[in-house]
Amino acid sequence: MFLGLEWKKWAIIIAALVVIIPIKIKFIQWWSERQQEKKKDQRGKWGDEE
């Protein structure tokens, strides 16, 4: 088979990618929103003091 793997192993790899990629995209979007909120909260403050 292709690269020495059976078709069942390729099916598992593809299924894992189909599940992981959308989760990763959602996480990246959530992380960027979180960073923007942190930047908004820091405006008007003096340094790192809270």
Side-chain angles (χ1 to χ4, degrees):
M1 285 287 162
F2 188 68
L3 294 177
L5 294 177
E6 294 181 21
W7 69 271
K8 293 177 187 177
K9 291 180 184 177
W10 279 114
I12 291 170
I13 291 170
I14 291 171
L17 288 175
V18 166
V19 171
I20 290 171
I21 290 173
I23 292 172
K24 184 175 181 179
I25 291 170
K26 283 286 192 183
F27 175 78
I28 291 171
Q29 289 173 347
W30 171 79
W31 187 259
S32 66
E33 288 175 9
R34 183 173 178 260
Q35 294 299 322
Q36 288 175 355
E37 288 176 7
K38 277 188 170 183
K39 284 182 183 179
K40 255 198 268 183
D41 290 343
Q42 287 182 353
R43 289 184 187 157
K45 291 187 177 178
W46 292 91
D48 292 330
E49 296 176 1
E50 294 196 42

